[in-house]
Amino acid sequence: MQLSTGHNEKKGKVTRRGDKTMRALMVQAASAVTNMVNKGNLKAKALSKWVEKKQREKMPWGKLTCALAAKLLRIIRAILISKKTFNSKIAAIAKSSLPKQFV
């Protein structure tokens, strides 16, 4: 689900539908990614910048973790639909702002 008004976009949240174990694993993965960003070990620069921006905005840890889990799920879904390999250089970048070669 996506809501948008002019320049503001609101993405859908992680709902309680689907497999409980998968949701728990996605939140764990998001927590691990957040820890990797804090330690400087994440190679995906765009995703690191997104997490750091949310941390500067003082987003609470739990909310950040759930938002990151939802973002990771959207990235996974896009990879599965497009059948392209994952490119860490463009992860977490809006499709509309990508150069034509990546779309």
Side-chain angles (χ1 to χ4, degrees):
M1 183 173 116
Q2 179 179 350
L3 303 171
S4 60
T5 60
H7 55 61
N8 291 337
E9 277 190 28
K10 293 185 179 183
K11 302 287 184 183
K13 57 185 180 179
V14 176
T15 64
R16 293 189 179 192
R17 291 175 23 191
D19 187 26
K20 183 178 179 180
T21 306
M22 180 57 100
R23 280 195 316 275
L25 290 173
M26 286 306 302
V27 170
Q28 263 187 329
S31 177
V33 169
T34 305
N35 288 335
M36 288 174 68
V37 169
N38 291 337
K39 293 177 182 177
N41 296 334
L42 190 65
K43 292 182 181 178
K45 298 294 182 194
L47 196 57
S48 295
K49 286 180 183 179
W50 184 87
V51 171
E52 289 167 353
K53 176 186 167 202
K54 295 298 181 183
Q55 288 174 334
R56 280 193 306 273
E57 293 172 357
K58 305 286 187 198
M59 182 179 270
W61 182 83
K63 193 171 184 179
L64 172 64
T65 303
C66 286
L68 183 57
K71 186 170 208 58
L72 292 173
L73 283 169
R74 285 192 295 274
I75 291 171
I76 291 167
R77 181 177 182 269
I79 290 170
L80 292 174
I81 288 173
S82 68
K83 297 180 182 171
K84 294 181 181 177
T85 58
F86 176 72
N87 186 347
S88 64
K89 292 179 182 175
I90 63 170
I93 299 176
K95 187 176 180 181
S96 60
S97 62
L98 287 175
K100 296 268 188 234
Q101 65 192 29
F102 291 116
V103 179

